[in-house]
Amino acid sequence: MGLFRIGLSDGQARRQVENLRDDLVLFKGVSNLRFETGVGKGSVQDVLCIDLDYLPLWLAKISITPKLQKDSPETVEKLVEYQQVNVLKNQKDAKFLNN
């Protein structure tokens, strides 16, 4: 699952999939793709995909809880870095729009 690349555990990743499906805005950027994984076996795998335009919003909505800090400090470090970069980018964009 791609969510492991930011360091989420299996349970955390499943929770984020639920969040994506339950969020009124993010849901619009989510699609489910199905593809065969075995030749002649008919086995199918579902893959939840998020449109790249929605990715920054989803990452910004991941709450950095005390439990996440305790259980996954490396994941927290990645999320904090992303969220800080995103805030700075938004501030830069806002200054550009105001000029």
Side-chain angles (χ1 to χ4, degrees):
M1 186 178 286
L3 297 176
F4 289 108
R5 293 181 190 222
I6 61 172
L8 298 178
S9 70
D10 190 39
Q12 292 165 334
R14 277 197 265 286
R15 178 68 184 134
Q16 286 305 313
V17 167
E18 289 176 27
N19 290 349
L20 285 167
R21 289 183 175 147
D22 292 344
D23 189 283
L24 293 175
V25 174
L26 292 174
F27 181 76
K28 294 177 182 190
V30 172
S31 59
N32 197 43
L33 300 179
R34 298 188 115 197
F35 62 93
E36 287 190 36
T37 57
V39 178
K41 295 181 183 178
S43 53
V44 175
Q45 182 171 353
D46 290 329
V47 178
L48 187 70
C49 301
I50 184 168
D51 185 303
L52 288 177
D53 292 334
Y54 289 81
L55 187 62
L57 178 61
W58 168 63
L59 289 172
K61 284 188 167 197
I62 296 176
S63 296
I64 300 172
T65 63
K67 181 170 176 21
L68 184 62
Q69 291 175 351
K70 180 181 176 223
D71 295 345
S72 307
E74 291 176 5
T75 299
V76 168
E77 187 176 315
K78 290 176 187 177
L79 285 170
V80 166
E81 181 179 342
Y82 167 78
Q83 291 175 354
Q84 286 175 334
V85 166
N86 199 43
V87 166
L88 293 174
K89 180 188 174 302
N90 288 340
Q91 288 174 351
K92 181 181 172 186
D93 291 346
K95 286 180 186 176
F96 174 76
L97 292 173
N98 289 329
N99 288 332

